[in-house]
Amino acid sequence: MSTTLCKAQDNKDQIILMNGDSFYTNVISVNDKIAVIADGKDKSEIYPDQVYRIYKAKKNKIYAPSFIEKNLELVKGSKPEIYKIKIKDNSAPTFAELEADGDIMVYFVKDSNFALGGGIGTGSKMGLIGFTTVKSWFALKKSTGEVILLRQSDDNALFPGNKKRAENLKRFFTGAPEVIASFENEKTFNYPIFLSYIKKYNALQVVKVDTTDQNSKIIY
């Protein structure tokens, strides 16, 4: 089931279960741990390990369960950095926004933590406690299990690390020489460019995927 197939369903909120069954509903909210849906006046909660995809029509967003947010492990010696998913004991998947679906999947996740701010410049001697949120966009290549970082919330348009990220991403395009050739001719790199090439690559791979693989429901 692809994101395109999800979005083609009459522009209604939709839930796709792990067994492939689907139904229309009203998606009230989705955060990393829980989604709230409503059927008329009745509300219910669903959890990441219960569903394959959630499509919220009004926001035109798709959510998928994933282990990426809490279970990435750096591949030792990799430069630029490559990660693998290593599921920890008792670890559960979380919901992530899915921005590309196919052999290369792109997940958008938010990681919020407590932050302690000092009194310097605030007129207060007491520390200030609050939340700091880091937004990250990761690409996962299903056929290899490799994960790379595409973007973080503190990047800017001229972020110098984009060249290294482009070098990493180019490896994901193995088997698509036309995509690689075009990608190498780009003069600048940023997240929108990365995403556009990932979608081009995925579109080319669709014809190579057999029915068994298309019907499999796996949480990455």
Side-chain angles (χ1 to χ4, degrees):
M1 179 68 65
S2 70
T3 57
T4 301
L5 291 175
C6 279
K7 292 181 180 181
Q9 303 298 321
D10 301 328
N11 201 34
K12 296 179 180 179
D13 292 355
Q14 185 183 17
I15 304 292
I16 302 176
L17 303 175
M18 293 302 293
N19 65 4
D21 292 343
S22 64
F23 60 92
Y24 297 125
T25 187
N26 182 19
V27 178
I28 305 298
S29 63
V30 182
N31 62 37
D32 60 344
K33 295 181 179 180
I34 194 170
V36 178
I37 63 175
D39 183 8
K41 295 182 179 180
D42 298 326
K43 292 183 180 180
S44 57
E45 299 173 344
I46 54 177
Y47 299 90
D49 61 353
Q50 296 177 317
V51 299
Y52 178 64
R53 297 288 186 268
I54 296 175
Y55 174 51
K56 189 166 179 59
K58 187 174 181 179
K59 293 186 176 182
N60 197 28
K61 290 184 177 181
I62 293 176
Y63 300 89
S66 175
F67 289 102
I68 278 185
E69 184 178 351
K70 304 293 185 183
N71 294 272
L72 286 185
E73 184 175 85
L74 180 66
V75 175
K76 188 175 181 180
S78 60
K79 291 184 179 181
E81 291 84 0
I82 296 173
Y83 301 87
K84 290 273 191 174
I85 294 175
K86 186 174 182 180
I87 301 175
K88 303 169 186 175
D89 291 342
N90 301 318
S91 181
T94 58
F95 283 123
E97 188 177 331
L98 191 61
E99 299 199 354
D101 199 354
D103 185 40
I104 301 177
M105 304 178 75
V106 177
Y107 295 93
F108 167 50
V109 299
K110 298 178 184 179
D111 188 15
S112 297
N113 296 288
F114 280 110
L116 179 63
I120 298 175
T122 66
S124 172
K125 294 182 181 180
M126 298 295 292
L128 301 176
I129 298 176
F131 275 100
T132 179
T133 300
V134 176
K135 300 176 182 179
S136 303
W137 288 257
F138 291 98
L140 176 146
K141 186 162 186 178
K142 292 194 294 188
S143 56
T144 65
E146 294 179 328
V147 179
I148 59 174
L149 178 64
L150 296 177
R151 179 188 181 188
Q152 279 193 319
S153 51
D154 57 355
D155 295 348
N156 58 51
L158 300 177
F159 177 64
N162 278 336
K163 289 185 178 180
K164 291 184 178 180
R165 292 175 184 172
E167 182 182 331
N168 242 0
L169 180 57
K170 187 174 73 171
R171 296 175 54 258
F172 279 21
F173 299 147
T174 300
E178 63 274 42
V179 175
I180 293 174
S182 180
F183 190 67
E184 289 176 335
N185 285 330
E186 292 289 343
K187 295 181 180 180
T188 59
F189 293 104
N190 53 42
Y191 176 72
I193 289 176
F194 293 158
L195 187 61
S196 68
Y197 275 92
I198 288 170
K199 290 181 177 180
K200 289 177 184 177
Y201 173 84
N202 283 341
L204 290 173
Q205 301 310 303
V206 169
V207 296
K208 302 178 183 179
V209 178
D210 63 30
T211 303
T212 301
D213 186 62
Q214 285 181 329
N215 291 334
S216 63
K217 305 290 183 289
I218 300 171
I219 297 177
Y220 292 94

